C-alpha cells in the first residue's frame, strides 16, 4: 500500500487505486499523512476543512469521513502493512511506516544526494525523487489556507531538488542538461531567484551569454514590479560571475553551439533576443552596482536610466518635487552642468520602487539634510529602521526625485550588511565606483585605502549622489564617503550607525512602521482600492497582523493577488493563526521571516539568546528587570544586550526602561528557539 501526496491524493494497493470519496475526505487523509504517527486534534481538522465559518455539524462530518477512511483502508488490507487509523479522545492518529508515503521517500532521496561532492551519484537519486511527483502537491484537497501553505512547502522542496539536480549536472559539465531541467521550472516560477541563477550559469556555459543576461534583467524587472525589491545575492552573484567571465574572455565551456547572432531568451532551444549580452546594454543597462560587477568592455560609461537621464541630458539641474514639478537648485549647488567635467556621469540607481506611497516626512527630512549647502561639508543621511520597513525604497525614491540635482552622477551599492553570505568589502565597492567614474581598470588601486583616496579625489569637485544600501556598520561605510562639498550620501541600515553620527555628522532619518491609513493605502495600491474598500475593517486588521511593515503587507497582497476570489477577511483569519503567519507572509523566497533571519544571523550568541528569551514575553512589553529574569542574565549584561538589540531595531525602547518586541519578531524568535534550542540562532556576529 502506498500513499501519494505529491500530486493527486491517492492510496494504491498493487496496481489498484482505492476510492477515497469527496474532497473533504481526501483532505482529512492528507492532513493525517502530513503528520504521520502524530495525533491530530479534531479542531485542527475542522479549521482546515472549511474556508469560511464551519457548520454546526462539522464534528459529525469529520467523524463520518474518518469512519469511511478507516473502512476503505481496511478493505485495502491496511492491517497487513502495519497501518491503523486510531481515535484518541478528540484526536486521530494514522499509524504507518512512513516510507509508504511518497513525500517521505522524496525527502530521503534528496537528503542522500550530494550534488557538489558526489554529482554522479546525485543525478540518479534526484531524478528518482523528482519522478515521484505526479502533479501539484495535494491536488484534490480543499483550497483552505492550511492546505495552501502545506502545498507551498512541498513545492518549495521540489524546486530545491530541481536546483540541486541542475547543480549536479553543472558540476559534471553537463550544462545542456542543466539548462533543460531548470528552464521549465524557471518559467513556472519566474520570481525564484535560485532557479534563475542556476539557469543563467547553465546558459552561459553553453555559450548563450545574451540569454543568460536577459534572464537576469527580466527577473530583476519582475521582482521590482511585483514585490518592490531588488535581486538577492544568489541572482546578483550569477550576474556578476558572467560579467567577470566575459570581461576575462571566458564564456562557453559546454558542448553547445557558439554564441553569436540572435539567440533566444526563452528555452534551451533559443528564440529571439534583442540584447547583445554586454554589460550596460541590456535591460536597464546597469553594469556596475557596487556588487562586484565590472563593465565587460573596460569602459565606465553607464546609460542614463528613466526620466532622470532625460533631465540630466538637458542640463536641467532643478529638483523634481513630489507633485511632478521642478524645484530650484538646492542651496549651495551650482547651475548648469556642475563641475563641467566631460568624464563619465554614471547613473547606477535601481529602478524607482513600485507602488511607493507616503513617507512624506522622511522624504522631506532627507531633502533638508542632503540639499543644505550652507555647511560647506558633504552631507550624509542615515535611513535606519527594522527589517522590512522600506528603507531602501525610501532612499531610492528620494534619489530618483532629486537626481537632477546631481548631474555628475548617481552611484548605488548594496553593501550586503544583512544579506546571505559576507558583507561587501570596501575595496570591492570602490573598484566599481572608480570604474563607473571613468578610471581605466589597470589604474584601480587594489587596497581599500588607496582606492578611497582616489575616489575622494575624483569627486572632490563633482555634484554627485552616493546611495549606500544595507550597511552593517559605520566602519564599512566610512571608506566609501565622498569628501566634496557638493556630494551627498544616503546610507540605509537596520542599525542606527551611531558611529557615523558621532564622527561624520550623519543625520539620522528614522523609518517607522505604517499606520492603519498608510497600510490600507498600500494594500489598495497593490490590490485595487475597490477590493480594500469593501472590507475596511479587515484591511485594518491585516495592517495590525503585518505589524505595519511594508514588506509583510506586500507579501500579504501577493497572497491575495494570487487568489482574486478571496476577501481580505479570509486572509486575516488565516493570519490569526500564529503558527502559520510567517509562512503566509512570504512570496517565493522573499518574506519577513527571511528578512528577520538575516538580522538575527548578525547577532552574537548572547544577544540571540536574549532575543529568544524576550520572545517568551506574554504581550511583548517588558523592562530590563523582566528581561534579565527571562534570559537568566545579570542586570549589566542584560542592559548591554537590550541596547544592542534596540540599535538593531529588533527591540524598540518606547520610554525609559520600557521595551517592546513586535509580534512578528516574537513569532520568528520563538520558531528559531524551537528549531535551534535555547541557544537561539545567533552565531558569529558581534552584535555591532
Amino acid at each position: 500500500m502506498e500513499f501519494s501526496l505529491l500530486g493527486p491524493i491517492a492510496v494504491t494497493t498493487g496496481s489498484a487505486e482505492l476510492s477515497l470519496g469527496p474532497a473533504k475526505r481526501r483532505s482529512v487523509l492528507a492532513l493525517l499523512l502530513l503528520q504521520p504517527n502524530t495525533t491530530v486534534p479534531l479542531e485542527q481538522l475542522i479549521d482546515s476543512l472549511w474556508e469560511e465559518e464551519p457548520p454546526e455539524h462539522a464534528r459529525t462530518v469529520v467523524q463520518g469521513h474518518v469512519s469511511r477512511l478507516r473502512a476503505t483502508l481496511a478493505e485495502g488490507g491496511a492491517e497487513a502493512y502495519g497501518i491503523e487509523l486510531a481515535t484518541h479522545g478528540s484526536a486521530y492518529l494514522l499509524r504507518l511506516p512512513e516510507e509508504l508515503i511518497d513525500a517521505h521517500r522524496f525527502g530521503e532521496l534528496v537528503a542522500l544526494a550530494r550534488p557538489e561532492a558526489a554529482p554522479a551519484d546525485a543525478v540518479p537519486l534526484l531524478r528518482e525523487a523528482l519522478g515521484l511527483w505526479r502533479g501539484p502537491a495535494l491536488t484534490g484537497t480543499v483550497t483552505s489556507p492550511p492546505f495552501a501553505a502545506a502545498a507551498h512547502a512541498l513545492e518549495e522542496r521540489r524546486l530545491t531538488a530541481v536546483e540541486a539536480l541542475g547543480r549536479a549536472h553543472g558540476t559534471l559539465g553537463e550544462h545542456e542538461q542543466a539548462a533543460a531541467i531548470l528552464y521549465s521550472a524557471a518559467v513556472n516560477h519566474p520570481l525564484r531567484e535560485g532557479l534563475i541563477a542556476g539557469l543563467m550559469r547553465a546558459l552561459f556555459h553553453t555559450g548563450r551569454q545574451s540569454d543568460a543576461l536577459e534572464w537576469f534583467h527580466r527577473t530583476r524587472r519582475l521582482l521590482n514590479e511585483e514585490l518592490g525589491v531588488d535581486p538577492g545575492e544568489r541572482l546578483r552573484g550569477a550576474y556578476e560571475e558572467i560579467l567577470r567571465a566575459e570581461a576575462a574572455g571566458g564564456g562557453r565551456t559546454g558542448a553547445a553551439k557558439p554564441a553569436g547572432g540572435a539567440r533566444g531568451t526563452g528555452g534551451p532551444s533559443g528564440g529571439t533576443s534583442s540584447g547583445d549580452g554586454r554589460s550596460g546594454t541590456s535591460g536597464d543597462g546597469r553594469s556596475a552596482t557596487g556588487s562586484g560587477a565590472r563593465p565587460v568592455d573596460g569602459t565606465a560609461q553607464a546609460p542614463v536610466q528613466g526620466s532622470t537621464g532625460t533631465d540630466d541630458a538637458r542640463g536641467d539641474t532643478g529638483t523634481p518635487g513630489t507633485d511632478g514639478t521642478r524645484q530650484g537648485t538646492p542651496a549651495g549647488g551650482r547651475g548648469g552642468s556642475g563641475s563641467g567635467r566631460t568624464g563619465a556621469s554614471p547613473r547606477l540607481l535601481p529602478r524607482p520602487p513600485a507602488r511607493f506611497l507616503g513617507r512624506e516626512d522622511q522624504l522631506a527630512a532627507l531633502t533638508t539634510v542632503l540639499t543644505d549647502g550652507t555647511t560647506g561639508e558633504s552631507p550624509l543621511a542615515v535611513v535606519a529602521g527594522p527589517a522590512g520597513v522600506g528603507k531602501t525604497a525610501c532612499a531610492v525614491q528620494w534619489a530618483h526625485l532629486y537626481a537632477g540635482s546631481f548631474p555628475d552622477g548617481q552611484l548605488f551599492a548594496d553593501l550586503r550588511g544583512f544579506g546571505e553570505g559576507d558583507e561587501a568589502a570596501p575595496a570591492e565597492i570602490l573598484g566599481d565606483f572608480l570604474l563607473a567614474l571613468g578610471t581605466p581598470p589597470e589604474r584601480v588601486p587594489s587596497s581599500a585605502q588607496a582606492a578611497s583616496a582616489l575616489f575622494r579625489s575624483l569627486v572632490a569637485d563633482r555634484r554627485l549622489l552616493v546611495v549606500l544600501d544595507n550597511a552593517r556598520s559605520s566602519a564599512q561605510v566610512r571608506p566609501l564617503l565622498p569628501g566634496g562639498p557638493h556630494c551627498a550620501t544616503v546610507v540605509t541600515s537596520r542599525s542606527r550607525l551611531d558611529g557615523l553620527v558621532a564622527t561624520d555628522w550623519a543625520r539620522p532619518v528614522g523609518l517607522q512602521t505604517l499606520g492603519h491609513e498608510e497600510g490600507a493605502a498600500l494594500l489598495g495600491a497593490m490590490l485595487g482600492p475597490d477590493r480594500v474598500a469593501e472590507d475596511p475593517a479587515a484591511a485594518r486588521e491585516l495592517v495590525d497582523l503585518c505589524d505595519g511593515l511594508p514588506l509583510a503587507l506586500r507579501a500579504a497582497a501577493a497572497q491575495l493577488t494570487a487568489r482574486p476570489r478571496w476577501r481580505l477577511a479570509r486572509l486575516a483569519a488565516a493570519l490569526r493563526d500564529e503558527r502559520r503567519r510567517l509562512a503566509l507572509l512570504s512570496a517565493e523566497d522573499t518574506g519577513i521571516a527571511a528578512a528577520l533571519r538575516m538580522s538575527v544571523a548578525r547577532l552574537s550568541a548572547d544577544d540571540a539568546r536574549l532575543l529568544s528569551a524576550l520572545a517568551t514575553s506574554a504581550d511583548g512589553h517588558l523592562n530590563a528587570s523582566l528581561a534579565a529574569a527571562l534570559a537568566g542574565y545579570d542586570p549589566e549584561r542584560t542592559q548591554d544586550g537590550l541596547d544592542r538589540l534596540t540599535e538593531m531595531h529588533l527591540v524598540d525602547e518606547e520610554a525609559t526602561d520600557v521595551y517592546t518586541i513586535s509580534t512578528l519578531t516574537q513569532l520568528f524568535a520563538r520558531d528559531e528557539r524551537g528549531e535551534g534550542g535555547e541557544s537561539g540562532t545567533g552565531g558569529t556576529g558581534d552584535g555591532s
Side-chain angles (χ1 to χ4, degrees), residues 534-618:
E534 70 179 5
D535 199 346
R540 290 174 62 88
E541 184 179 8
L542 282 175
V543 175
D544 289 335
L545 291 166
C546 293
D547 283 345
L549 289 171
L551 178 61
L553 285 165
R554 287 177 179 273
Q559 294 277 3
L560 290 166
T561 300
R563 299 166 177 84
R565 288 178 293 181
W566 278 26
R567 293 174 59 86
L568 271 64
R570 181 170 167 189
L571 180 60
L575 290 174
R576 290 185 205 122
D577 186 345
E578 294 185 345
R579 296 168 301 177
R580 305 203 310 273
R581 191 178 304 170
L582 289 174
L584 289 170
L585 293 179
S586 298
E588 293 281 341
D589 52 359
T590 298
I592 194 64
L596 287 170
R597 186 171 293 109
M598 293 302 101
S599 288
V600 175
R602 299 303 193 192
L603 297 178
S604 67
D606 278 356
D607 289 350
R609 280 193 292 269
L610 176 59
L611 182 69
S612 180
L614 300 181
T616 63
S617 169

Side-chain angles (χ1 to χ4, degrees), residues 520-535:
L522 178 57
L523 289 173
M526 299 285 289
L527 300 170
D530 292 343
R531 197 170 177 190
V532 174
E534 70 179 5
D535 199 346

Side-chain angles (χ1 to χ4, degrees), residues 230-587:
D230 287 327
E233 183 173 354
R234 286 179 293 177
L235 188 60
R236 194 175 58 244
Y239 179 61
E240 293 163 5
E241 285 178 25
I242 293 170
L243 292 184
R244 285 194 291 267
E246 280 198 316
R252 178 173 178 264
T253 61
K257 297 177 181 178
R263 294 303 305 262
T265 62
S269 59
T272 60
S273 172
S274 59
D276 64 357
R278 295 182 63 81
S279 170
T281 58
S282 26
D284 65 357
R286 286 187 291 162
S287 62
T289 61
S291 306
R294 296 288 192 273
V296 298
D297 56 3
T299 66
Q301 185 73 34
V304 175
Q305 298 177 23
S307 59
T308 302
T310 304
D311 293 335
D312 292 340
R314 293 196 308 261
D316 181 1
T317 60
T319 303
T322 55
D323 61 353
T325 61
R326 306 293 297 184
Q327 301 173 354
T329 302
R334 293 168 293 171
S337 59
S339 63
R341 295 177 59 95
T342 58
S345 297
R347 306 287 186 260
L348 304 185
L349 294 177
R351 291 180 61 184
R355 305 292 195 274
F356 185 89
L357 295 174
R359 303 301 195 193
E360 287 86 0
D361 291 344
Q362 288 76 19
L363 292 172
L366 285 172
T367 303
T368 300
V369 172
L370 297 172
T371 62
D372 181 6
T374 63
T375 64
E377 298 173 335
S378 178
L380 170 61
V382 175
V383 180
V389 80
K391 300 177 292 296
T392 301
C394 183
V396 172
Q397 177 75 0
W398 187 91
H400 276 284
L401 288 173
Y402 286 83
S405 299
F406 303 96
D408 291 324
Q410 305 95 43
L411 299 174
F412 178 91
D414 179 3
L415 303 189
R416 307 196 298 272
F418 296 91
E420 297 177 0
D422 297 331
E423 63 189 68
E428 173 190 341
I429 303 301
L430 287 165
D432 290 328
F433 283 178
L434 291 172
L435 287 172
L437 290 166
T439 306
E442 65 274 10
R443 297 189 61 185
V444 174
S446 58
S447 75
Q449 185 176 7
S452 181
L454 178 58
F455 172 60
R456 290 193 300 272
S457 176
L458 285 176
V459 304
D461 296 322
R462 293 182 184 239
R463 292 174 58 197
L464 188 79
L465 175 64
V466 180
V467 181
L468 302 173
D469 186 40
N470 199 15
R472 181 182 178 187
S473 66
S474 299
Q476 186 189 22
V477 170
R478 287 193 184 97
L480 310 176
L481 297 177
H486 305 294
C487 295
T489 306
V490 187
V491 182
T492 74
S493 180
R494 299 180 192 182
S495 171
R496 292 196 308 254
L497 301 184
D498 292 340
L500 286 182
V501 176
T503 64
D504 297 272
W505 209 62
R507 300 295 87 192
V509 177
L511 217 56
Q512 306 299 322
T513 56
L514 301 178
H516 287 124
E517 290 187 7
E518 291 178 313
L522 178 57
L523 289 173
M526 299 285 289
L527 300 170
D530 292 343
R531 197 170 177 190
V532 174
E534 70 179 5
D535 199 346
R540 290 174 62 88
E541 184 179 8
L542 282 175
V543 175
D544 289 335
L545 291 166
C546 293
D547 283 345
L549 289 171
L551 178 61
L553 285 165
R554 287 177 179 273
Q559 294 277 3
L560 290 166
T561 300
R563 299 166 177 84
R565 288 178 293 181
W566 278 26
R567 293 174 59 86
L568 271 64
R570 181 170 167 189
L571 180 60
L575 290 174
R576 290 185 205 122
D577 186 345
E578 294 185 345
R579 296 168 301 177
R580 305 203 310 273
R581 191 178 304 170
L582 289 174
L584 289 170
L585 293 179
S586 298

Side-chain angles (χ1 to χ4, degrees), residues 37-209:
N37 302 307
T38 303
T39 54
V40 179
L42 177 60
E43 291 302 321
Q44 183 182 350
L45 288 165
I46 292 173
D47 290 342
S48 301
L49 289 179
W50 277 272
E51 302 177 54
E52 308 295 342
E53 190 69 23
E56 293 182 2
H57 61 286
R59 296 175 67 90
T60 303
V61 172
V62 173
Q63 290 166 350
H65 285 312
V66 171
S67 177
R68 288 299 308 147
L69 282 173
R70 187 179 288 123
T72 299
L73 293 174
E75 293 169 5
E79 185 177 357
Y81 294 93
I83 300 169
E84 178 188 9
L85 178 50
T87 302
H88 289 268
S90 60
Y92 299 101
L93 169 67
L94 182 57
R95 292 193 184 94
L96 78 166
E98 293 186 17
E99 59 268 20
L100 299 180
I101 307 173
D102 59 355
H104 178 80
R105 297 199 304 278
F106 170 81
E108 286 190 325
L109 289 166
V110 172
L112 289 171
R114 296 180 298 158
E116 285 81 20
D121 295 330
V123 167
L125 288 170
L126 291 168
R127 285 192 176 278
E128 182 180 353
L130 292 168
L132 295 172
W133 285 74
R134 298 175 298 109
L138 306 183
T139 298
T141 59
V142 297
T143 57
S144 66
F147 284 104
H152 175 75
L154 288 169
E155 177 65 6
E156 284 290 307
R157 292 170 61 189
R158 185 186 73 83
L159 293 173
T160 299
V162 171
E163 293 175 17
L165 181 56
R167 293 198 307 274
H169 278 298
T171 304
L172 293 171
E174 299 167 349
H175 302 296
E176 287 283 6
Q177 292 92 322
I181 289 163
L182 296 170
Y183 171 71
S184 60
V187 169
N188 291 322
H189 299 273
L191 297 179
R192 188 176 178 88
E193 298 185 45
L195 273 176
I196 310 301
L199 178 59
M200 286 171 58
R201 290 187 175 96
L203 290 171
F204 176 71
H205 286 302
T206 59
R208 308 210 289 271
Q209 292 92 330

